[in-house]
């Protein structure tokens, strides 16, 4: 249940490898339409996580396979730069180099033609790295075609309401009008991301500690000298801007201004309150100008960038990873019911870790 990239990949793997009837249910009007789209579209190669070697190493391992299997969606026609700030950074340039050597992530000093785009008084070093983006619309269309070819039954505009024991498992699914039908299944993979506890609570099952943020990814028209670049300033209260291929723009994300609100389920809100309902009721005042104003101190040319749009989404993480910025995948097998497996993905290329962990699940649905 849940038609983001992780849910779709699990359904595809199940149908391809086992040939069983597989049903994929997505609440929205299309697959890969929420967190799989509203993000920076970065295919991680490990550089982003100098304080979480495990997350970095898994990204480093998984990127080559993602590049092969989703080649049509991977966009690498730009140069990616990581810069280390002199002040307020959690790592120095020397530490960042040692970290990259440790995880095997290639990097080189940026040439002077690129280094001079940065304010030398605020930036200690600039590195040229290997890190592409992905086109979320191409990825979505390719996944839809692959699911169709594999015979997966895809139902959009349908919401997984609850899971309960029956002859195996039974899943109550509602359409937009609230009309319910029941699907029977041998196994159910709950991949509903921010709504995980919403479904678990309705099912009378144990909830999982989760932290949510209302996040704004700004989309900008970059200054001409930045159009073919992706820039990330590490590692602290800084920013990142890079191509967003699905819109032909650049994304701009800022550690201080991208998160608009945050809460831990059970802390000031009921554990089963729908985070997407909270997002819908949120007054969306963009902070893109604050992002640009701060980021221009490090990359002066950003002052010539123009705001174009913003993507608003709920970002969900495990509370314990506030300390190290790690992004492990949540996987709870047989969570409260035998055959009910809860999965919450993280970085898009780390989907292979899930496929290995569940050992190509069999998901046979009836009803």
């Amino acid at each position: 249940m849940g038609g983001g990239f992780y849910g779709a990949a699990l359904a595809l793997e199940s149908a391809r490898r086992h040939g069983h009837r597989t049903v994929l249910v997505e609440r929205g009007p299309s697959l890969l339409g929420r967190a799989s789209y509203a993000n920076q579209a970065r295919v991680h190669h490990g550089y982003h996580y100098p304080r979480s070697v495990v997350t970095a190493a898994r990204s480093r391992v998984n990127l080559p396979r993602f590049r092969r299997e989703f080649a049509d969606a991977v966009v690498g026609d730009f140069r990616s730069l990581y810069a280390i700030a002199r002040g307020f950074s959690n790592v120095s340039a020397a530490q960042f180099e040692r970290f990259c050597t440790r995880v095997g992530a290639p990097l080189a000093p940026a040439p002077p033609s690129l280094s001079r785009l940065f304010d030398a008084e605020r930036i200690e070093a600039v590195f040229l790295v290997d890190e592409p983006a992905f086109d979320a619309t191409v990825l979505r269309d390719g996944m839809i075609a692959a699911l169709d070819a594999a015979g997966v039954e895809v139902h959009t505009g349908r919401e997984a309401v609850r899971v309960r024991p029956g002859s195996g498992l039974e899943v109550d699914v509602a359409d937009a009008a609230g009309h319910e039908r029941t699907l029977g299944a041998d196994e159910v993979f709950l991949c509903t991301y921010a709504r995980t506890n919403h479904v678990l609570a309705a099912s009378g099952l144990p909830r999982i500690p989760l932290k949510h943020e209302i996040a704004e990814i700004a989309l900008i028209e970059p200054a001409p000298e930045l159009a073919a670049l992706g820039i990330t300033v590490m590692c602290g209260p800084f920013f990142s801007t890079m191509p967003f291929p699905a819109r032909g723009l650049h994304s701009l994300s800022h550690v201080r201004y991208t998160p608009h609100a945050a809460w831990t389920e059970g802390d000031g809100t009921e554990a089963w309150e729908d985070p997407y309902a909270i997002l819908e009721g949120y007054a969306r005042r963009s902070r893109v100008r604050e992002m640009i104003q701060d980021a221009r101190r490090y990359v002066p040319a950003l002052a010539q960038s123009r705001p174009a749009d913003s993507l608003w989404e709920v970002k969900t993480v495990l509370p314990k990873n506030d300390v190290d910025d790690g992004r492990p995948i949540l996987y709870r097998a047989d969570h409260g019911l035998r055959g009910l497996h809860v999965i919450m993905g993280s970085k898009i290329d780390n989907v292979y870790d899930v496929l290995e962990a569940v050992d190509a699940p069999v998901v046979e649905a009836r009803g």
Side-chain angles (χ1 to χ4, degrees):
M1 303 297 163
F5 183 67
Y6 274 61
L10 279 162
L12 181 61
E13 187 80 352
S14 174
R16 278 179 170 173
R17 190 168 295 193
H18 297 288
H20 292 278
R21 182 187 174 200
T22 304
V23 177
L24 178 61
V25 177
E26 163 56 32
R27 183 176 182 237
S30 177
L31 302 183
L32 279 66
R34 295 214 63 136
S36 298
Y37 177 87
N39 61 73
Q40 276 213 295
R42 185 194 308 268
V43 187
H44 282 269
H45 206 174
Y47 304 102
H48 218 64
Y49 297 101
R51 294 187 291 142
S52 179
V53 172
V54 172
T55 300
R58 292 314 304 166
S59 293
R60 173 82 180 95
V61 168
N62 288 323
L63 177 85
R65 181 176 174 184
F66 188 90
R67 267 182 162 148
R68 290 194 307 271
E69 296 190 4
F70 300 98
D72 289 347
V74 174
V75 178
D77 60 349
F78 63 95
R79 288 189 285 184
S80 185
L81 302 172
Y82 272 66
I84 309 301
R86 293 189 185 277
F88 305 105
S89 179
N90 293 308
V91 297
S92 67
Q95 290 170 329
F96 186 70
E97 286 189 90
R98 287 196 296 270
F99 155 75
C100 289
T101 298
R102 181 179 179 185
V103 300
L107 83 166
S113 61
L114 298 179
S115 293
R116 63 171 170 256
L117 292 171
F118 296 80
D119 185 324
E121 292 185 1
R122 289 187 168 90
I123 295 296
E124 178 186 1
V126 183
F127 299 99
L128 187 63
V129 305
D130 172 29
E131 193 166 69
F134 67 90
D135 187 319
T137 57
V138 174
L139 186 66
R140 177 202 63 204
D141 293 347
M143 183 61 77
I144 290 172
L147 290 165
D148 183 62
V152 176
E153 296 180 32
V154 176
H155 298 277
T156 56
R158 301 290 187 273
E159 175 182 354
V161 177
R162 68 189 67 82
V163 184
R164 49 193 169 81
S167 177
L169 292 173
E170 294 183 347
V171 183
D172 294 326
V173 176
D175 62 18
H179 301 130
E180 293 189 8
R181 62 175 293 201
T182 299
L183 298 175
D186 294 324
E187 290 188 272
V188 173
F189 289 84
L190 188 65
C191 304
T192 49
Y193 192 57
R195 297 187 78 250
T196 297
N197 280 332
H198 188 72
V199 178
L200 292 176
S203 305
L205 298 174
R207 294 177 287 278
I208 298 168
L210 295 175
K211 179 183 177 182
H212 304 292
E213 293 178 353
I214 294 178
E216 176 191 8
I217 301 292
L219 298 179
I220 61 174
E221 296 178 5
E225 56 265 52
L226 304 180
L229 297 176
I231 294 173
T232 300
V233 177
M234 298 290 288
C235 166
F238 306 120
F239 69 95
S240 180
T241 183
M242 60 183 289
F244 189 80
R247 294 282 300 275
L249 298 165
H250 270 45
S251 64
L252 177 60
S253 176
H254 195 290
V255 171
R256 183 179 297 120
Y257 298 114
T258 286
H260 279 242
W263 70 96
T264 299
E265 287 184 317
D267 180 15
T269 63
E270 294 296 334
W272 51 86
E273 189 170 356
D274 186 350
Y276 294 140
I278 295 175
L279 174 62
E280 287 303 312
Y282 184 75
R284 303 182 184 190
R285 187 191 73 81
S286 176
R287 295 175 179 170
V288 61
R289 298 197 181 277
E290 289 94 328
M291 296 184 198
I292 293 174
Q293 187 68 22
D294 186 72
R296 66 186 288 185
R297 296 185 300 142
Y298 300 90
V299 182
L302 273 168
Q304 307 306 315
S305 299
R306 295 195 302 169
D309 199 359
S310 287
L311 305 175
W312 296 84
E313 191 51 273
V314 176
K315 175 183 176 182
T316 301
V317 299
L318 302 178
K320 66 180 181 180
N321 292 116
D322 274 351
V323 177
D324 63 4
D325 287 337
R327 292 295 180 265
I329 294 166
L330 171 69
Y331 174 41
R332 298 280 182 90
D334 298 318
H335 184 75
L337 293 171
R338 178 175 292 278
L340 173 62
H341 313 305
V342 178
I343 292 171
M344 190 182 78
S346 59
K347 301 310 170 189
I348 202 158
D349 47 305
N350 284 357
V351 67
Y352 302 112
D353 293 341
V354 166
L355 300 182
E356 291 176 8
V358 302
D359 191 28
V362 178
V363 186
E364 185 174 0
R366 304 184 301 275

